[in-house]
Amino acid sequence: MNALSLNNLWSYIQGLALTTSNKRWLAEHLYEAASKEGQATPPVDFHINKEDLVLSPEILEPVKDIAPLPQDFDFNQARTNYIMQKYG
């Protein structure tokens, strides 16, 4: 929740006719919920299947004619060549 939403919530709560016991009840429940969320959660078993990594034809369409770069491609040299060609 962003700061604006929190400020709106706070303004709403202030506009309610809450008794002292209502405010304490709300504070205790908020604190309890925050404490539970702050506790460490067990790690999630995370698996990625090969099917999850397959790109759709719509995604691949813009790059269908681009060949992969060779393994020994030097990005720094290519950048230098581009700069020299453009400004040199």
Side-chain angles (χ1 to χ4, degrees):
M1 190 176 269
N2 63 28
L4 182 61
S5 298
L6 286 172
N7 282 331
N8 287 338
L9 177 60
W10 180 244
S11 296
Y12 172 75
I13 290 172
Q14 286 179 317
L16 298 174
L18 296 175
T19 64
T20 303
S21 65
N22 293 146
K23 291 176 184 177
R24 283 192 183 120
W25 180 91
L26 181 60
E28 288 170 3
H29 281 78
L30 283 171
Y31 184 76
E32 182 181 330
S35 296
K36 286 181 182 176
E37 288 178 11
Q39 295 174 352
T41 57
V44 177
D45 189 20
F46 188 72
H47 291 295
I48 296 177
N49 299 326
K50 285 187 177 183
E51 296 82 30
D52 295 335
L53 300 176
V54 175
L55 298 175
S56 69
E58 294 84 16
I59 298 293
L60 293 174
E61 180 65 29
V63 294
K64 68 179 180 185
D65 297 332
I66 299 175
L69 294 173
Q71 290 289 341
D72 60 346
F73 184 80
D74 187 355
F75 288 98
N76 290 328
Q77 185 61 44
R79 184 182 308 123
T80 302
N81 292 344
Y82 171 77
I83 292 172
M84 292 301 291
Q85 183 181 13
K86 185 171 182 179
Y87 299 107

